[in-house]
């Protein structure tokens, strides 16, 4: 990281996944051609390149500068942001694979975060986790393990 920043590069990070995008002189763009991301499509259509440039710039403005190392406080903030993103996606009903892809983690790394979230909310299943998240979203505390709601 120090090497590239010493040459003038800036590095930023988002709380969600942003796929590969290379724009050259605002006249040509390269985007992944398949899900494996080992092939690219060259885009030369000015309107499409302009659109992709605008999408990139909006995301760049939202992203936080990344220096290559994190203090414990910065790491906990990133973890909190990641957790909130996962919760938002779960409430939205996204699949585990979709959430992992969106936040740029492997499914195994995402599963670790999900397991921690389930443990924190004392949920034994994904269904219980959804219920407890729904309770939190409606402003109430999640019921304790073994409680039933209105039954």
């Amino acid at each position: 990281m120090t090497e590239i920043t010493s040459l003038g590069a800036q590095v930023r990070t988002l709380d969600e996944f942003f796929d590969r995008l290379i724009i050259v002189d605002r006249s040509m763009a390269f985007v992944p051609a398949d899900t494996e991301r080992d092939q690219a499509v060259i885009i030369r259509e000015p309107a499409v390149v302009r659109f992709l440039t605008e999408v990139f710039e909006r995301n760049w403005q939202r992203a936080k500068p990344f220096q290559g190392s994190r203090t414990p406080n910065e790491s906990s903030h990133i973890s909190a942001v990641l957790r909130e993103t996962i919760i938002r996606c779960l409430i939205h009903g996204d699949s585990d694979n979709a959430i992992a892809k969106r936040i740029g983690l492997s499914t195994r790394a995402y599963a670790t975060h999900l397991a921690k979230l389930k443990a924190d909310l004392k949920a034994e299943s994904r269904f219980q986790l959804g219920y407890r998240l729904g309770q939190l979203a409606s402003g109430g505390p999640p019921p304790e393990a073994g409680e039933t709601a209105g039954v």
Side-chain angles (χ1 to χ4, degrees), residues 5-92:
T5 55
S6 70
L7 296 171
Q10 295 179 33
V11 179
R12 292 185 174 220
T13 186
L14 281 171
D15 63 349
E16 61 187 63
F17 182 69
F18 186 84
D19 213 340
R20 295 178 186 175
L21 171 63
I22 300 171
I23 301 172
V24 180
D25 295 333
R26 296 180 181 261
S27 63
M28 179 180 356
F30 297 88
V31 296
D34 55 15
T35 56
E36 286 79 36
R37 297 183 190 91
D38 58 0
Q39 297 180 18
V41 173
I42 302 171
I43 301 170
R44 291 189 176 97
E45 171 57 43
V48 177
V49 173
R50 185 174 44 256
F51 173 79
L52 291 171
T53 301
E54 290 170 4
V55 167
F56 176 83
E57 288 174 346
R58 277 193 305 274
N59 279 288
W60 181 261
Q61 291 302 315
R62 287 184 29 236
K64 306 266 189 271
F66 183 71
Q67 304 302 322
S69 62
R70 295 183 217 142
T71 66
N73 188 35
E74 290 169 326
S75 291
S76 67
H77 173 70
I78 290 169
S79 294
V81 170
L82 185 63
R83 178 185 173 110
E84 290 303 314
T85 302
I86 291 170
I87 290 171
R88 250 190 343 267
C89 291
L90 287 168
I91 290 172
H92 185 259

Coordinates of all heavy atoms in Angstrom, one line a residue, residues 5-92:
T5 N 0.8 4.4 -2.8 CA 0.4 5.7 -2.4 C 1.6 6.7 -2.5 O 1.4 7.9 -2.8 CB -0.2 5.7 -1.0 OG1 0.8 5.1 -0.1 CG2 -1.5 5.0 -0.9
S6 N 2.8 6.2 -2.4 CA 4.0 7.1 -2.5 C 4.1 7.5 -4.0 O 4.8 8.5 -4.2 CB 5.2 6.4 -2.0 OG 5.6 5.3 -2.9
L7 N 3.5 6.8 -4.9 CA 3.6 7.2 -6.3 C 2.4 8.0 -6.7 O 2.2 8.4 -7.9 CB 3.6 5.9 -7.2 CG 4.8 5.0 -7.0 CD1 4.6 3.7 -7.8 CD2 6.1 5.8 -7.5
G8 N 1.5 8.4 -5.7 CA 0.4 9.3 -6.0 C -0.9 8.7 -6.0 O -1.9 9.4 -6.2
A9 N -1.0 7.4 -5.9 CA -2.3 6.7 -5.9 C -3.1 7.0 -4.7 O -2.6 7.2 -3.6 CB -2.1 5.2 -6.1
Q10 N -4.4 7.0 -4.8 CA -5.3 7.1 -3.7 C -6.1 5.8 -3.6 O -6.5 5.3 -4.6 CB -6.3 8.3 -3.9 CG -5.6 9.7 -3.9 CD -6.7 10.8 -4.1 OE1 -7.8 10.7 -3.7 NE2 -6.3 11.8 -4.8
V11 N -6.4 5.4 -2.4 CA -7.1 4.2 -2.2 C -8.3 4.5 -1.2 O -8.1 5.1 -0.2 CB -6.2 3.1 -1.6 CG1 -7.0 1.8 -1.4 CG2 -5.0 2.8 -2.5
R12 N -9.4 4.0 -1.6 CA -10.6 4.2 -0.8 C -11.3 2.9 -0.6 O -11.2 2.0 -1.4 CB -11.6 5.2 -1.4 CG -11.0 6.6 -1.4 CD -11.9 7.6 -1.9 NE -11.4 9.0 -1.7 CZ -12.1 10.0 -1.3 NH1 -13.4 9.9 -1.1 NH2 -11.6 11.2 -1.2
T13 N -12.2 2.8 0.4 CA -13.0 1.6 0.6 C -14.4 1.9 0.9 O -14.7 2.9 1.4 CB -12.4 0.8 1.8 OG1 -13.0 -0.5 1.9 CG2 -12.4 1.5 3.1
L14 N -15.3 1.0 0.3 CA -16.7 1.1 0.5 C -17.2 0.1 1.5 O -16.6 -0.9 1.7 CB -17.5 0.9 -0.8 CG -17.5 2.1 -1.8 CD1 -18.1 1.6 -3.1 CD2 -18.3 3.2 -1.2
D15 N -18.4 0.3 2.1 CA -19.0 -0.7 2.9 C -19.8 -1.8 2.2 O -20.4 -2.6 2.7 CB -19.9 -0.1 4.0 CG -21.1 0.7 3.4 OD1 -21.1 0.8 2.2 OD2 -21.9 1.0 4.2
E16 N -19.7 -1.7 0.8 CA -20.3 -2.7 0.0 C -19.4 -3.0 -1.2 O -18.5 -2.2 -1.5 CB -21.7 -2.3 -0.4 CG -21.7 -1.0 -1.3 CD -23.1 -0.5 -1.6 OE1 -23.8 -0.1 -0.6 OE2 -23.5 -0.5 -2.7
F17 N -19.7 -4.1 -1.9 CA -18.9 -4.5 -3.0 C -19.1 -3.6 -4.2 O -20.2 -3.2 -4.5 CB -19.3 -5.9 -3.4 CG -18.5 -6.5 -4.5 CD1 -17.2 -6.8 -4.3 CD2 -19.1 -6.7 -5.7 CE1 -16.4 -7.3 -5.4 CE2 -18.4 -7.2 -6.8 CZ -17.0 -7.6 -6.6
F18 N -18.0 -3.3 -4.8 CA -18.0 -2.5 -6.1 C -17.1 -3.3 -7.0 O -15.9 -3.5 -6.8 CB -17.4 -1.1 -5.8 CG -17.5 -0.2 -7.1 CD1 -18.7 0.5 -7.3 CD2 -16.5 -0.1 -8.0 CE1 -18.8 1.3 -8.4 CE2 -16.6 0.7 -9.1 CZ -17.8 1.4 -9.3
D19 N -17.7 -3.8 -8.1 CA -17.0 -4.7 -9.0 C -15.9 -3.9 -9.8 O -15.9 -2.7 -9.8 CB -18.0 -5.3 -10.0 CG -17.6 -6.7 -10.5 OD1 -16.5 -7.0 -10.3 OD2 -18.5 -7.4 -10.9
R20 N -15.1 -4.7 -10.4 CA -14.0 -4.1 -11.2 C -14.5 -3.2 -12.3 O -15.4 -3.5 -13.0 CB -13.1 -5.2 -11.8 CG -12.4 -6.1 -10.8 CD -11.7 -7.2 -11.5 NE -11.1 -8.1 -10.5 CZ -10.5 -9.2 -10.8 NH1 -10.3 -9.5 -12.0 NH2 -10.0 -9.9 -9.8
L21 N -13.8 -2.1 -12.4 CA -14.1 -1.1 -13.5 C -12.9 -0.3 -13.8 O -12.3 0.3 -12.9 CB -15.3 -0.2 -13.0 CG -15.6 1.0 -13.9 CD1 -16.1 0.6 -15.2 CD2 -16.6 1.9 -13.2
I22 N -12.5 -0.3 -15.0 CA -11.3 0.5 -15.5 C -11.8 1.4 -16.5 O -12.4 1.0 -17.5 CB -10.2 -0.4 -16.0 CG1 -9.7 -1.4 -14.9 CG2 -9.0 0.4 -16.5 CD1 -8.8 -2.5 -15.5
I23 N -11.5 2.7 -16.3 CA -11.9 3.7 -17.3 C -10.6 4.4 -17.7 O -9.8 4.9 -16.9 CB -12.9 4.8 -16.7 CG1 -14.2 4.0 -16.2 CG2 -13.2 5.8 -17.7 CD1 -15.1 4.9 -15.4
V24 N -10.5 4.5 -19.1 CA -9.2 5.1 -19.6 C -9.6 6.4 -20.4 O -10.4 6.4 -21.3 CB -8.5 4.1 -20.6 CG1 -7.3 4.7 -21.2 CG2 -8.2 2.8 -19.9
D25 N -9.1 7.5 -19.9 CA -9.3 8.8 -20.6 C -10.8 9.2 -20.8 O -11.1 9.9 -21.8 CB -8.5 8.9 -21.9 CG -7.0 8.8 -21.7 OD1 -6.5 9.2 -20.6 OD2 -6.3 8.3 -22.6
R26 N -11.6 8.6 -20.0 CA -13.1 8.9 -20.1 C -13.6 8.6 -21.5 O -14.6 9.1 -22.0 CB -13.4 10.3 -19.8 CG -13.2 10.7 -18.3 CD -13.5 12.1 -18.0 NE -13.2 12.4 -16.6 CZ -14.1 12.4 -15.6 NH1 -15.4 12.1 -15.9 NH2 -13.8 12.7 -14.4
S27 N -12.9 7.7 -22.2 CA -13.3 7.3 -23.6 C -13.5 5.8 -23.8 O -14.0 5.4 -24.8 CB -12.3 7.9 -24.6 OG -11.0 7.3 -24.4
M28 N -13.0 5.1 -22.8 CA -13.0 3.6 -23.0 C -13.1 3.0 -21.5 O -12.5 3.5 -20.6 CB -11.8 3.1 -23.6 CG -11.7 1.6 -23.8 SD -10.2 1.0 -24.6 CE -9.3 2.4 -25.1
A29 N -14.0 2.0 -21.4 CA -14.1 1.3 -20.1 C -14.0 -0.2 -20.3 O -14.3 -0.7 -21.3 CB -15.5 1.7 -19.5
F30 N -13.5 -0.8 -19.2 CA -13.4 -2.3 -19.2 C -14.2 -2.7 -18.0 O -14.0 -2.2 -16.9 CB -11.9 -2.7 -19.0 CG -11.0 -2.3 -20.1 CD1 -10.4 -1.1 -20.1 CD2 -10.8 -3.2 -21.1 CE1 -9.5 -0.7 -21.1 CE2 -9.9 -2.9 -22.2 CZ -9.3 -1.6 -22.2
V31 N -15.1 -3.7 -18.2 CA -15.9 -4.3 -17.1 C -15.8 -5.8 -17.3 O -15.5 -6.3 -18.3 CB -17.4 -3.8 -17.2 CG1 -17.5 -2.3 -17.0 CG2 -18.0 -4.2 -18.5
P32 N -16.1 -6.5 -16.2 CA -16.0 -8.0 -16.2 C -17.0 -8.5 -17.2 O -18.1 -8.1 -17.3 CB -16.3 -8.4 -14.8 CG -16.0 -7.2 -13.9 CD -16.3 -6.0 -14.8
A33 N -16.6 -9.6 -17.9 CA -17.4 -10.2 -19.0 C -18.2 -11.4 -18.4 O -19.2 -11.8 -19.0 CB -16.6 -10.7 -20.1
D34 N -17.8 -11.9 -17.2 CA -18.4 -13.1 -16.7 C -18.3 -13.0 -15.1 O -17.6 -12.2 -14.6 CB -17.8 -14.4 -17.2 CG -16.3 -14.4 -17.1 OD1 -15.7 -13.7 -16.3 OD2 -15.7 -15.3 -17.7
T35 N -18.9 -14.0 -14.5 CA -18.9 -14.0 -13.0 C -17.6 -14.4 -12.4 O -17.3 -14.0 -11.3 CB -20.0 -14.9 -12.5 OG1 -19.8 -16.3 -13.0 CG2 -21.4 -14.5 -12.8
E36 N -16.7 -15.0 -13.2 CA -15.4 -15.4 -12.7 C -14.4 -14.2 -12.8 O -13.4 -14.2 -12.2 CB -14.8 -16.5 -13.5 CG -15.4 -17.9 -13.2 CD -16.8 -18.1 -13.9 OE1 -16.9 -17.6 -15.1 OE2 -17.7 -18.7 -13.3
R37 N -14.8 -13.2 -13.5 CA -14.1 -11.9 -13.6 C -12.7 -12.2 -14.2 O -11.7 -11.5 -13.8 CB -14.0 -11.2 -12.3 CG -15.3 -10.8 -11.8 CD -15.1 -10.0 -10.5 NE -16.4 -9.7 -9.8 CZ -16.9 -10.6 -8.9 NH1 -16.3 -11.6 -8.6 NH2 -18.1 -10.3 -8.4
D38 N -12.6 -13.2 -15.1 CA -11.3 -13.4 -15.7 C -11.2 -13.0 -17.2 O -10.2 -13.2 -17.9 CB -10.8 -14.9 -15.6 CG -11.9 -15.8 -16.2 OD1 -12.9 -15.4 -16.7 OD2 -11.6 -17.1 -16.1
Q39 N -12.3 -12.4 -17.6 CA -12.4 -11.8 -19.0 C -13.1 -10.4 -18.9 O -13.8 -10.2 -17.9 CB -13.2 -12.7 -19.9 CG -12.6 -14.0 -20.1 CD -13.5 -14.9 -21.0 OE1 -14.3 -14.4 -21.8 NE2 -13.2 -16.2 -21.0
A40 N -12.8 -9.6 -19.8 CA -13.4 -8.2 -19.8 C -14.0 -7.9 -21.1 O -13.7 -8.4 -22.1 CB -12.3 -7.2 -19.5
V41 N -15.0 -6.9 -21.0 CA -15.6 -6.4 -22.2 C -15.1 -4.9 -22.3 O -15.0 -4.2 -21.3 CB -17.2 -6.3 -22.0 CG1 -17.8 -5.6 -23.1 CG2 -17.7 -7.7 -21.9
I42 N -14.8 -4.5 -23.5 CA -14.3 -3.2 -23.8 C -15.5 -2.4 -24.2 O -16.3 -2.8 -25.1 CB -13.2 -3.1 -24.9 CG1 -12.0 -3.9 -24.4 CG2 -12.8 -1.7 -25.1 CD1 -11.0 -4.1 -25.6
I43 N -15.8 -1.2 -23.6 CA -16.9 -0.4 -23.9 C -16.3 0.9 -24.5 O -15.6 1.6 -23.8 CB -17.8 -0.1 -22.7 CG1 -18.3 -1.5 -22.2 CG2 -18.9 0.8 -23.1 CD1 -19.0 -1.4 -20.8
R44 N -16.8 1.3 -25.7 CA -16.3 2.5 -26.3 C -17.5 3.5 -26.6 O -17.2 4.6 -27.0 CB -15.6 2.2 -27.6 CG -14.3 1.5 -27.4 CD -13.5 1.5 -28.7 NE -12.2 0.9 -28.5 CZ -11.8 -0.4 -28.7 NH1 -12.8 -1.2 -29.1 NH2 -10.6 -0.8 -28.4
E45 N -18.7 3.1 -26.3 CA -19.9 3.9 -26.6 C -19.8 5.1 -25.6 O -19.8 4.9 -24.3 CB -21.1 3.1 -26.4 CG -22.4 3.9 -26.4 CD -22.6 4.8 -27.6 OE1 -22.3 4.2 -28.7 OE2 -23.0 5.9 -27.5
P46 N -19.7 6.3 -26.1 CA -19.5 7.5 -25.2 C -20.6 7.6 -24.1 O -20.2 8.0 -22.9 CB -19.5 8.7 -26.1 CG -19.1 8.1 -27.4 CD -19.6 6.7 -27.5
A47 N -21.8 7.4 -24.4 CA -22.9 7.5 -23.4 C -22.7 6.5 -22.3 O -22.9 6.8 -21.1 CB -24.2 7.4 -24.0
V48 N -22.3 5.3 -22.6 CA -22.1 4.2 -21.6 C -20.9 4.5 -20.8 O -20.9 4.4 -19.5 CB -22.1 2.8 -22.2 CG1 -21.8 1.8 -21.2 CG2 -23.4 2.5 -23.0
V49 N -19.8 5.0 -21.4 CA -18.6 5.3 -20.7 C -18.9 6.5 -19.7 O -18.4 6.5 -18.6 CB -17.4 5.6 -21.6 CG1 -16.2 6.1 -20.9 CG2 -17.1 4.4 -22.5
R50 N -19.6 7.5 -20.2 CA -19.9 8.6 -19.3 C -20.8 8.2 -18.1 O -20.5 8.6 -17.0 CB -20.7 9.7 -20.1 CG -21.0 10.9 -19.4 CD -21.6 12.1 -20.2 NE -22.7 11.6 -21.1 CZ -22.5 11.5 -22.5 NH1 -21.4 11.7 -23.0 NH2 -23.6 11.0 -23.2
F51 N -21.7 7.3 -18.4 CA -22.6 6.7 -17.3 C -21.7 6.0 -16.2 O -21.8 6.2 -15.0 CB -23.7 5.8 -17.8 CG -24.4 5.1 -16.8 CD1 -25.4 5.8 -16.1 CD2 -24.1 3.8 -16.4 CE1 -26.1 5.1 -15.1 CE2 -24.8 3.1 -15.5 CZ -25.8 3.8 -14.8
L52 N -20.8 5.1 -16.7 CA -20.0 4.3 -15.8 C -19.0 5.3 -15.0 O -18.8 5.0 -13.9 CB -19.2 3.3 -16.6 CG -20.0 2.1 -17.2 CD1 -19.1 1.3 -18.1 CD2 -20.6 1.3 -16.1
T53 N -18.5 6.3 -15.7 CA -17.7 7.3 -15.0 C -18.4 8.0 -13.9 O -17.9 8.1 -12.8 CB -17.1 8.3 -16.0 OG1 -16.4 7.6 -17.1 CG2 -16.2 9.3 -15.4
E54 N -19.7 8.3 -14.1 CA -20.5 9.0 -13.1 C -20.8 8.0 -11.9 O -20.7 8.4 -10.8 CB -21.8 9.5 -13.7 CG -21.6 10.7 -14.6 CD -22.8 11.1 -15.4 OE1 -23.9 10.5 -15.2 OE2 -22.7 12.0 -16.2
V55 N -21.1 6.8 -12.2 CA -21.3 5.8 -11.2 C -20.0 5.6 -10.3 O -20.1 5.6 -9.1 CB -21.7 4.4 -11.8 CG1 -21.6 3.3 -10.8 CG2 -23.1 4.5 -12.4
F56 N -18.9 5.5 -11.0 CA -17.6 5.4 -10.3 C -17.4 6.6 -9.4 O -17.0 6.5 -8.2 CB -16.4 5.2 -11.2 CG -15.1 5.2 -10.5 CD1 -14.6 4.1 -9.9 CD2 -14.4 6.4 -10.4 CE1 -13.5 4.1 -9.2 CE2 -13.2 6.4 -9.7 CZ -12.7 5.2 -9.1
E57 N -17.6 7.8 -9.9 CA -17.3 9.0 -9.2 C -18.2 9.2 -8.0 O -17.8 9.6 -6.9 CB -17.4 10.3 -10.1 CG -16.2 10.3 -11.0 CD -16.3 11.5 -12.0 OE1 -17.4 12.0 -12.2 OE2 -15.3 11.7 -12.7
R58 N -19.5 8.8 -8.1 CA -20.4 8.8 -7.0 C -20.0 7.9 -5.9 O -20.0 8.2 -4.7 CB -21.9 8.5 -7.4 CG -22.6 9.7 -8.0 CD -24.1 9.4 -8.1 NE -24.4 8.2 -8.8 CZ -24.6 8.1 -10.2 NH1 -24.4 9.2 -10.9 NH2 -24.9 7.0 -10.8
N59 N -19.6 6.7 -6.3 CA -19.1 5.7 -5.3 C -17.8 6.2 -4.7 O -17.5 5.9 -3.5 CB -18.9 4.3 -5.9 CG -20.3 3.6 -6.0 OD1 -20.8 3.2 -4.9 ND2 -20.9 3.5 -7.2
W60 N -16.9 6.8 -5.4 CA -15.6 7.3 -4.9 C -15.9 8.3 -3.9 O -15.2 8.3 -2.8 CB -14.8 7.9 -6.1 CG -13.5 8.4 -5.7 CD1 -13.1 9.7 -5.4 CD2 -12.3 7.7 -5.4 NE1 -11.8 9.8 -5.0 CE2 -11.3 8.6 -5.0 CE3 -12.0 6.3 -5.5 CZ2 -10.0 8.1 -4.8 CZ3 -10.7 5.9 -5.2 CH2 -9.7 6.8 -4.9
Q61 N -16.8 9.2 -4.1 CA -17.1 10.2 -3.1 C -17.7 9.6 -1.8 O -17.4 10.2 -0.7 CB -18.2 11.3 -3.7 CG -17.6 12.1 -4.8 CD -16.4 12.9 -4.3 OE1 -16.3 13.5 -3.3 NE2 -15.3 12.9 -5.2
R62 N -18.4 8.6 -1.9 CA -19.0 7.9 -0.7 C -18.0 7.1 0.0 O -18.1 6.8 1.2 CB -20.1 6.9 -1.1 CG -21.4 7.6 -1.5 CD -22.5 6.6 -1.8 NE -22.4 5.4 -1.1 CZ -22.4 4.2 -1.7 NH1 -22.5 4.0 -3.0 NH2 -22.4 3.1 -1.0
A63 N -16.9 6.7 -0.7 CA -15.9 5.8 -0.1 C -15.0 6.6 0.9 O -14.9 7.8 0.8 CB -15.0 5.2 -1.2
K64 N -14.5 5.8 1.9 CA -13.6 6.4 2.9 C -12.1 6.2 2.5 O -11.8 5.1 2.0 CB -13.8 5.7 4.2 CG -15.3 5.7 4.7 CD -15.6 6.9 5.6 CE -16.9 6.9 6.2 NZ -18.0 7.4 5.4
P65 N -11.3 7.2 2.7 CA -9.8 7.0 2.4 C -9.3 5.8 3.2 O -9.6 5.6 4.4 CB -9.2 8.3 2.9 CG -10.3 9.3 2.8 CD -11.5 8.5 3.2
F66 N -8.5 5.0 2.6 CA -7.9 3.8 3.2 C -6.4 3.9 3.2 O -5.8 4.1 2.1 CB -8.3 2.5 2.5 CG -7.8 1.3 3.2 CD1 -8.3 0.9 4.4 CD2 -6.9 0.5 2.6 CE1 -7.8 -0.3 5.0 CE2 -6.4 -0.7 3.1 CZ -6.9 -1.1 4.4
Q67 N -5.7 3.9 4.3 CA -4.3 4.1 4.4 C -3.5 2.8 4.4 O -2.3 2.8 4.3 CB -3.9 4.9 5.6 CG -4.7 6.2 5.7 CD -4.4 7.1 4.5 OE1 -3.3 7.2 4.0 NE2 -5.5 7.8 4.1
G68 N -4.1 1.7 4.5 CA -3.4 0.4 4.4 C -3.2 -0.3 5.7 O -2.9 -1.4 5.8
S69 N -3.4 0.5 6.8 CA -3.4 -0.1 8.1 C -4.5 0.5 9.0 O -5.0 1.6 8.7 CB -2.0 0.1 8.8 OG -1.9 1.5 9.0
R70 N -5.0 -0.3 9.9 CA -6.1 0.2 10.7 C -5.8 0.1 12.2 O -5.1 -0.8 12.6 CB -7.3 -0.7 10.5 CG -7.8 -0.7 9.1 CD -9.1 -1.5 9.0 NE -9.1 -2.2 7.7 CZ -9.5 -3.4 7.5 NH1 -9.9 -4.1 8.4 NH2 -9.4 -3.9 6.3
T71 N -6.2 1.1 12.9 CA -6.1 1.1 14.4 C -7.3 0.2 14.8 O -8.2 -0.1 14.1 CB -6.3 2.5 14.9 OG1 -7.6 2.9 14.7 CG2 -5.3 3.5 14.4
P72 N -7.2 -0.3 16.1 CA -8.3 -1.1 16.6 C -9.6 -0.3 16.5 O -10.7 -0.9 16.2 CB -7.9 -1.3 18.1 CG -6.4 -1.3 18.0 CD -6.1 -0.2 17.0
N73 N -9.6 1.0 16.7 CA -10.9 1.8 16.7 C -11.4 1.8 15.2 O -12.6 1.7 15.0 CB -10.6 3.2 17.1 CG -11.9 4.0 17.2 OD1 -12.9 3.5 17.6 ND2 -11.8 5.3 16.9
E74 N -10.5 2.0 14.2 CA -10.9 2.0 12.8 C -11.5 0.6 12.5 O -12.5 0.5 11.7 CB -9.8 2.3 11.9 CG -9.3 3.8 12.0 CD -8.0 4.1 11.3 OE1 -7.2 3.2 11.3 OE2 -7.9 5.2 10.8
S75 N -10.8 -0.5 12.9 CA -11.3 -1.8 12.6 C -12.7 -2.1 13.2 O -13.5 -2.7 12.5 CB -10.3 -2.9 13.2 OG -9.1 -2.8 12.4
S76 N -12.9 -1.6 14.4 CA -14.3 -1.8 15.0 C -15.3 -1.0 14.3 O -16.4 -1.4 14.1 CB -14.3 -1.5 16.5 OG -14.1 -0.1 16.7
H77 N -14.9 0.2 13.8 CA -15.9 1.0 13.0 C -16.2 0.3 11.7 O -17.4 0.2 11.3 CB -15.3 2.4 12.7 CG -16.2 3.2 11.8 ND1 -17.4 3.7 12.1 CD2 -16.0 3.5 10.5 CE1 -18.0 4.3 11.1 NE2 -17.1 4.2 10.1
I78 N -15.2 -0.3 11.0 CA -15.4 -1.0 9.8 C -16.3 -2.2 10.0 O -17.3 -2.5 9.3 CB -14.1 -1.4 9.1 CG1 -13.4 -0.1 8.5 CG2 -14.3 -2.4 8.0 CD1 -12.0 -0.3 8.1
S79 N -16.1 -2.9 11.2 CA -16.9 -4.0 11.5 C -18.3 -3.6 11.8 O -19.2 -4.3 11.4 CB -16.3 -4.7 12.8 OG -15.0 -5.3 12.5
A80 N -18.5 -2.5 12.4 CA -19.9 -2.0 12.7 C -20.6 -1.7 11.4 O -21.8 -2.0 11.3 CB -19.8 -0.8 13.7
V81 N -19.9 -1.0 10.5 CA -20.5 -0.7 9.2 C -20.8 -2.0 8.4 O -21.9 -2.1 7.9 CB -19.5 0.2 8.4 CG1 -20.0 0.4 7.0 CG2 -19.4 1.6 9.1
L82 N -19.9 -2.9 8.4 CA -20.2 -4.2 7.8 C -21.4 -4.9 8.4 O -22.2 -5.4 7.7 CB -18.9 -5.1 7.9 CG -18.9 -6.4 7.1 CD1 -19.0 -6.2 5.6 CD2 -17.7 -7.2 7.5
R83 N -21.4 -4.9 9.7 CA -22.6 -5.5 10.4 C -23.9 -4.9 10.0 O -24.9 -5.6 9.7 CB -22.3 -5.4 11.9 CG -23.4 -6.0 12.7 CD -23.1 -5.8 14.2 NE -24.2 -6.2 15.1 CZ -24.2 -7.2 15.9 NH1 -23.1 -7.9 16.0 NH2 -25.2 -7.5 16.6
E84 N -23.9 -3.5 10.0 CA -25.1 -2.8 9.6 C -25.5 -3.2 8.1 O -26.7 -3.3 7.8 CB -24.9 -1.3 9.7 CG -24.9 -0.9 11.2 CD -26.1 -1.3 12.0 OE1 -27.2 -1.1 11.5 OE2 -25.9 -1.8 13.1
T85 N -24.5 -3.3 7.3 CA -24.8 -3.6 5.9 C -25.4 -5.0 5.8 O -26.4 -5.3 5.1 CB -23.5 -3.5 5.0 OG1 -23.0 -2.2 5.1 CG2 -23.8 -3.9 3.6
I86 N -24.9 -6.0 6.6 CA -25.4 -7.3 6.6 C -26.8 -7.3 7.1 O -27.7 -8.0 6.5 CB -24.5 -8.3 7.4 CG1 -23.2 -8.5 6.7 CG2 -25.2 -9.6 7.7 CD1 -22.1 -9.2 7.6
I87 N -27.1 -6.6 8.2 CA -28.4 -6.5 8.7 C -29.4 -6.0 7.7 O -30.5 -6.5 7.5 CB -28.4 -5.7 10.1 CG1 -27.7 -6.5 11.1 CG2 -29.9 -5.4 10.5 CD1 -27.5 -5.8 12.4
R88 N -29.0 -4.9 7.1 CA -29.9 -4.3 6.0 C -30.2 -5.3 5.0 O -31.4 -5.4 4.5 CB -29.2 -3.0 5.4 CG -29.8 -1.7 5.8 CD -29.3 -0.5 5.0 NE -28.0 -0.7 4.2 CZ -26.8 -0.3 4.7 NH1 -26.7 0.1 5.9 NH2 -25.8 -0.5 4.0
C89 N -29.2 -6.0 4.5 CA -29.5 -7.0 3.4 C -30.3 -8.1 3.9 O -31.2 -8.6 3.2 CB -28.1 -7.5 2.9 SG -27.1 -6.3 2.0
L90 N -30.2 -8.6 5.1 CA -31.0 -9.7 5.7 C -32.4 -9.2 5.8 O -33.4 -9.9 5.4 CB -30.5 -10.1 7.1 CG -29.2 -10.9 7.1 CD1 -28.7 -11.0 8.5 CD2 -29.4 -12.3 6.5
I91 N -32.7 -8.0 6.3 CA -34.0 -7.5 6.4 C -34.6 -7.3 5.0 O -35.8 -7.6 4.9 CB -34.0 -6.1 7.2 CG1 -33.7 -6.4 8.7 CG2 -35.4 -5.4 7.1 CD1 -33.5 -5.2 9.5
H92 N -33.8 -7.0 4.1 CA -34.3 -6.8 2.7 C -34.7 -8.2 2.1 O -35.4 -8.2 1.1 CB -33.3 -6.1 1.8 CG -33.7 -5.8 0.5 ND1 -33.3 -6.6 -0.6 CD2 -34.5 -4.8 0.0 CE1 -33.9 -6.1 -1.7 NE2 -34.6 -5.0 -1.4

